[in-house]
Amino acid sequence: MPTITYDKFDGGLDVRQLATTADANRLRQLENAFVTTGKTIRKRPGLKKVGDIQAGTFGLFSGLGKIWTFSTFETEHLNLPELLSHGKLDDPTQTGIKRIVQVEVFQGYLYVVCQYNDGSYKHHYLDGKTPTYIEDANCPHTPQVIKNSGKIFAIDDEVVRFTATNDARDWTLEEDAGFLAVSLQQSTSNMPTALGQFEASLVVFFEDSAQVWTIDPDPKNHRLTQNVPIGTVYSYGHANMSADIFFLSPAGFRSVSVQSYTTSLMDTDIGSPIDELMRKRMRAGDMDPRMVYYRGGGQLICFIGAEAYVYSYSRSAKVSAWSKWVFPFAIDQVTEHKTKLYVRNGNEVFVFDEMQYTDNGTTIPVLAQLPYLDQRKPSQLKRYQAVDVAAVGDFDISFLYDPANPDAETPVTRMSGDTRPLPAIPVEVGATNLSIKVAHNSPSEF
């Protein structure tokens, strides 16, 4: 009996091609799982509750050896004193804090961007001085900030302002503080949307493009290096990974990388396998993405509400794979601390734990589905007799046999434990193409 084996899934989630023409190493669906460096599919880590935090506090950011929250009052996280610390911010608006947008560690202190309930923003520097917010008239007090070359940079309408070197409170010092006239270099969109870092350079994003600037403690050495013809509208929909910067553009996920054998930069379409999914998600609106590079897992993760789009990448293992994760609640804040990824929902803190097979008791549904494969014999009717599966865990396996009717599916066969010693599973299907579907809905390893 002829056989064919599919045992590499390094393409991950990929919906670019038709379901009947996609390669076998690419999956039509991959939820709550990821592709490992061994090119196999594994269930994502579950969320383990760490504890409750003080009501009325905001944010969740790692820095100075602790995870920080903030409010307008003094408090201590008595339940988690070894993990959490707290910073008190002034409230010049007298309206209360709405959210903490960003936190940077600068010169051994925390630089905090806070939004208040009246919609305004304030920059705070927790260096022990009062008030905590920065009173310099040239401080933009806008949400998009970044540190580079001993300075804090922030968007201010059509320019990007920067502080004096090593002084977060001074936005005015002559010949040291100042601004980059970024809009003068633009031909279309002239309002910056986000700030990032590419290698040692500053990246200024616009809606339709990006500028790469060489930055130096001496402002006289600031200069525009490159232009990249794609941008982003999301302030924090970008992150650094592998000496590159990845971001969510209106077209999907993209990156800025150095073109081979030259010093020029180019945009690369690393997100093209899921462009269709991302454009559909962006059309739905209500988008406030926050992207992080999870060093502990070697993954780029873009959190959007109660879901995340995950890019697993390994140059040595030649793995470049997307997947989608879904959570039982919205992720309000996320931070990596000591190689672990922590998230906040309301007043609860959770950590991703590889040994946790549920989300705090809620089952994590895993779904993986291959394209409709023709076994390298297109248009030829074939009789499928058996399938052999190498897996560990409880799961259901079924087969879809009519690409024109996605509801045409065989009854499921339930598997449990380590399937490798088991005999092949009988399959009686006559079709030109066959799609294999695997679903896992148990509080256990898969």
Side-chain angles (χ1 to χ4, degrees):
M1 179 176 66
T3 63
I4 192 166
T5 301
Y6 302 108
D7 59 357
K8 292 182 177 64
F9 306 104
D10 51 301
L13 180 61
D14 191 336
V15 296
R16 287 176 291 186
Q17 296 177 299
L18 295 174
T20 54
T21 60
D23 298 331
N25 66 331
R26 304 180 185 275
L27 300 161
R28 298 299 294 179
Q29 296 191 77
L30 184 59
E31 290 191 4
N32 287 325
F34 64 95
V35 177
T36 71
T37 53
K39 303 180 182 180
T40 61
I41 299 170
R42 182 182 293 274
K43 183 179 183 176
R44 69 163 171 85
L47 291 174
K48 179 181 179 181
K49 185 174 179 179
V50 177
D52 297 305
I53 56 180
Q54 178 69 40
T57 64
F58 298 85
L60 195 75
F61 293 89
S62 177
L64 305 177
K66 290 288 190 73
I67 296 178
W68 291 80
T69 64
F70 304 89
S71 70
T72 57
F73 53 85
E74 297 283 359
T75 188
E76 294 183 9
H77 296 290
L78 299 178
N79 295 330
L80 302 166
E82 300 299 321
L83 180 66
L84 299 181
S85 193
H86 185 75
K88 179 181 180 295
L89 306 179
D90 294 323
D91 182 6
T93 70
Q94 300 299 310
T95 61
I97 296 175
K98 180 178 181 179
R99 61 172 181 159
I100 301 298
V101 178
Q102 188 178 5
V103 179
E104 294 278 1
V105 176
F106 186 78
Q107 300 295 309
Y109 301 103
L110 299 179
Y111 193 95
V112 184
V113 181
C114 173
Q115 183 183 22
Y116 294 91
N117 285 318
D118 66 351
S120 66
Y121 295 87
K122 284 291 182 184
H123 292 194
H124 298 257
Y125 193 47
L126 303 186
D127 58 353
K129 298 179 181 179
T130 56
T132 60
Y133 65 90
I134 295 173
E135 297 181 290
D136 191 312
N138 285 320
C139 179
H141 293 294
T142 53
Q144 303 91 354
V145 303
I146 197 170
K147 65 178 179 180
N148 191 310
S149 299
K151 299 176 180 289
I152 296 289
F153 292 79
I155 291 175
D156 186 12
D157 291 328
E158 296 183 355
V159 302
V160 174
R161 291 194 175 273
F162 53 85
T163 66
T165 304
N166 300 329
D167 191 346
R169 290 184 176 271
D170 190 345
W171 293 78
T172 305
L173 183 63
E174 189 175 352
E175 297 186 359
D176 198 358
F179 63 89
L180 304 175
V182 295
S183 63
L184 296 180
Q185 311 295 331
Q186 292 294 110
S187 57
T188 53
S189 174
N190 64 349
M191 299 297 291
T193 56
L195 300 175
Q197 184 167 319
F198 177 77
E199 296 180 337
S201 300
L202 174 71
V203 180
V204 182
F205 287 101
F206 297 82
E207 182 178 350
D208 57 358
S209 60
Q211 299 176 5
V212 182
W213 287 75
T214 297
I215 299 300
D216 189 84
D218 184 352
K220 295 184 180 67
N221 296 325
H222 295 344
R223 61 185 178 88
L224 177 63
T225 306
Q226 297 281 348
N227 286 283
V228 181
I230 192 166
T232 182
V233 297
Y234 303 110
S235 298
Y236 296 101
H238 60 274
N240 293 89
M241 182 180 77
S242 299
D244 204 348
I245 183 169
F246 295 75
F247 58 96
L248 179 58
S249 78
F253 290 105
R254 297 294 184 266
S255 75
V256 176
S257 59
V258 180
Q259 191 170 4
S260 299
Y261 309 115
T262 74
T263 58
S264 64
L265 300 179
M266 61 182 296
D267 63 286
T268 55
D269 58 348
I270 55 101
S272 60
I274 60 169
D275 277 352
E276 181 181 337
L277 300 179
M278 291 312 305
R279 290 168 187 166
K280 182 178 179 180
R281 180 64 182 85
M282 287 186 279
R283 286 195 297 269
D286 191 28
M287 288 274 290
D288 186 20
R290 182 169 288 270
M291 190 183 297
V292 298
Y293 174 50
Y294 175 33
R295 295 169 181 80
Q299 295 164 321
L300 193 74
I301 308 178
C302 185
F303 290 90
I304 306 174
E307 60 190 29
Y309 294 86
V310 182
Y311 184 59
S312 302
Y313 174 77
S314 172
R315 180 174 298 174
S316 60
K318 297 182 179 179
V319 170
S320 174
W322 285 97
S323 57
K324 179 182 177 181
W325 295 358
V326 181
F327 309 103
F329 46 72
I331 304 299
D332 299 328
Q333 298 282 350
V334 56
T335 190
E336 184 175 6
H337 182 68
K338 297 181 179 179
T339 71
K340 293 184 178 180
L341 198 63
Y342 292 84
V343 300
R344 175 172 181 169
N345 170 253
N347 293 320
E348 298 179 308
V349 176
F350 302 85
V351 62
F352 281 94
D353 188 340
E354 291 185 353
M355 302 305 295
Q356 181 81 11
Y357 302 124
T358 66
D359 284 333
N360 195 40
T362 301
T363 300
I364 302 172
V366 176
L367 178 62
Q369 182 183 341
L370 273 71
Y372 286 85
L373 303 171
D374 58 21
Q375 326 314 329
R376 301 172 186 167
K377 295 182 179 181
S379 303
Q380 180 176 328
L381 182 65
K382 293 168 281 289
R383 178 189 176 192
Y384 296 91
Q385 295 179 287
V387 64
D388 198 9
V389 184
V392 175
D394 301 331
F395 63 96
D396 296 333
I397 185 169
S398 57
F399 308 92
L400 290 75
Y401 50 87
D402 185 357
N405 181 14
D407 294 328
E409 183 177 354
T410 67
V412 302
T413 299
R414 183 150 298 177
M415 308 291 291
S416 181
D418 188 342
T419 67
R420 288 171 293 181
L422 301 178
I425 305 167
V427 176
E428 287 294 335
V429 176
T432 57
N433 299 70
L434 195 72
S435 172
I436 304 173
K437 178 180 175 181
V438 177
H440 163 82
N441 290 283
S442 299
S444 58
E445 181 184 12
F446 177 66

